[in-house]
Amino acid sequence: MKQGIPNIGQMLERCTLCPRECAVNRNKGAEGFCRAGSKIEVSAAHLHFGEEPPISGTNGSGTIFFNHCNMRCVYCQNYQFSQLEDGKEFGSDRLADTMLSLQKQNAHNINLVTPTHYAAHIINAILPARRNGLDTPIVYNTSGYEKVETLKLLDGLVDIYLVDMRYGENRAAAEYSSAPDYVEINRAAVKEMHRQTGGLKLTKAGVAERGVIIRHLVLPGGLSGTESIFKFIAEELGKDTYISFMSQYYPAYKARDYSAISRRINKKEYDRALSLLYKYDLKNGWVQQYMGGAVDSDFAGTNIEPDV
């Protein structure tokens, strides 16, 4: 789909980019739930080697970490970026230049982390960057709490959706991420992403070039609702969907203030969640091994193996 450049000023005058639809005037300094203003704020931009194998590849992923977030996860493992305000202000031109710089460093892709609240700015960066030679795939790396209407603005611009399916029921989403309608919003968003890009397609070298990868972080006590999510994926998206099964949870940020999530997952919880991949015949993707008491937020996993 051919895209025109949206008017950022108009879109931020009454911001409804995400499902919260705060309708605040970000141009005049008003803050909605995400606390983002009229300018992009970037915490870091560099080659990153800790993503899933087809995202990091051998050259690394050209990762741009944005400040702020439209979720409020009390266990956020990227809270330094998403919740703390330590970034540098960027215009869309500078963001475009950063994308081109990462491409010159031979990044396999441009990986936009927590991008939702800057969707208009991102469109305004991708289009001129492409005119200036950007041909590296764009990765939209998101919590999955996305508005379908905003995603439609990205149709034809985003090549790969790296999307969380974080909760299978809304009670936990409300308590731990302040998102009481997460399940319905997330599932509609994932279906739109899949409509746009289809299933994951890899190069001969095993590097992602287009499609959807779904991340699922296993939380203690079954709070992530794994079975409900895997059932949805199998029935609505297809059993060939690529899953990134993540066991790396640890009580980061404010999680120790919440007894149910103040610990890592145990081996029984890990095995139970992993068994559900096979129950729903989801055999594409990668599995992080059980990490016990270790803490490592970089992805280190193996391909999903047949259940034997």
Side-chain angles (χ1 to χ4, degrees), residues 29-89:
E31 292 185 353
F33 186 91
C34 72
R35 301 196 298 267
S38 61
K39 300 285 188 182
I40 308 165
E41 292 179 49
V42 172
S43 272
H46 53 74
L47 293 177
H48 182 42
F49 294 86
E51 303 283 40
E52 286 77 1
I55 301 297
S56 291
T58 55
N59 297 346
S61 175
T63 307
I64 301 173
F65 292 93
F66 295 105
N67 275 133
H68 305 293
C69 184
N70 71 335
M71 297 272 277
R72 196 84 83 233
C73 301
V74 298
Y75 54 85
C76 181
Q77 295 177 0
N78 282 334
Y79 71 92
Q80 299 95 329
F81 305 132
S82 66
Q83 304 301 331
L84 305 183
E85 300 177 11
D86 61 350
K88 296 179 180 178
E89 287 193 352

